[in-house]
Amino acid sequence: RRRKIVVDSGLLDIKKVQLIDRKRPKEDRELYNNMRCFMQYLPRSEYDELLQGLVQERQLRRRLEQLQNWRRQGITTIADGEAFEAGAHKKSQGKKTENTSMYLRSSGQDKTRQTSRHHRYLAREQQEALNSISDKLKQKSKKAAASPIDGMEGVDLLSTAERSLCISAHVAPKQYMMIKEAFLSEYARLGNLTKKHARSLIKIDGSKISKIWAFFCENKWINQSIEDGDTIMGEFDDRSAD
């Protein structure tokens, strides 16, 4: 039965049916699709006649509504009504064009804002990266410039020259302060301090004691003793021998 209905209704040629359906107005197309279920109950000729009657009824209803609208607008002739419809259509098209323009401008502004926001984000990211690199370089510079004795106990009590002496002699600041106190106390007691005697006071590496003793002599904290051949030049000879 279904096959017979399809054949009798001419629905086998799908492309032809679709082409005819596309040519119909949208409202008529909806009407044809909604009424297709009644095709199985009526012969094709009666079915087509029914659909044509429904389409004509809809067209008459539209025309009546249009004429009633003209009447409410004070229009009394067909020519005035057609002019009214033309003006309304033109106005509607103008609104559509204006809305489209507004949408395009709005879209362009949105894209501009998004682009500007993206550029600001990239600039902020680049600035943060540069700041991070700069901080790392500063930290490296501080570490490179930091002295090996920085942070040790007693380093804040030393002069710049004494700090350099501790670094070159490999002596901790606290140890240097003990040697300094011993040298000055012994010099004050004896009135002189030979390098040999200085080495006997503190039992550490003799080259370290010699450097500290020469430093004291250079700065006139103790008078250079000529006993046992102890001279500043002798200290220089010790340094070169080291």
Side-chain angles (χ1 to χ4, degrees), residues 124-181:
R124 185 168 61 251
E125 288 288 319
Q126 292 175 354
Q127 187 62 41
E128 290 177 355
L130 291 174
N131 291 339
S132 177
I133 294 173
S134 178
D135 292 341
K136 290 180 179 179
L137 290 176
K138 289 180 180 178
Q139 291 177 0
K140 288 183 179 179
S141 298
K142 288 180 180 179
K143 289 180 180 179
S147 173
I149 63 174
D150 284 349
M152 292 186 178
E153 184 180 357
V155 69
D156 54 331
L157 302 175
L158 305 182
S159 65
T160 304
E162 288 177 312
R163 294 186 184 188
S164 300
L165 173 64
C166 288
I167 295 172
S168 63
H170 302 288
V171 177
K174 186 176 181 181
Q175 188 180 26
Y176 167 77
M177 294 297 293
M178 293 172 60
I179 296 171
K180 180 179 179 180
E181 183 179 0

Side-chain angles (χ1 to χ4, degrees), residues 75-123:
I75 298 172
T76 56
T77 63
I78 299 296
D80 292 341
E82 291 176 349
F84 171 77
E85 292 295 334
H89 178 73
K90 186 176 180 180
K91 186 177 180 181
S92 175
Q93 291 296 325
K95 286 185 177 180
K96 288 182 180 179
T97 303
E98 183 180 357
N99 291 337
T100 302
S101 299
M102 291 178 63
Y103 172 76
L104 292 175
R105 287 197 299 270
S106 176
S107 299
Q109 292 175 356
D110 290 341
K111 289 181 179 179
T112 302
R113 293 193 193 99
Q114 291 176 359
T115 302
S116 178
R117 191 181 302 115
H118 181 64
H119 287 167
R120 290 198 301 270
Y121 173 77
L122 290 178

Side-chain angles (χ1 to χ4, degrees), residues 28 46 66 123 129 132 134 171 190:
D28 293 349
E46 294 182 7
Q66 185 182 49
S132 177
S134 178
V171 177
L190 300 176

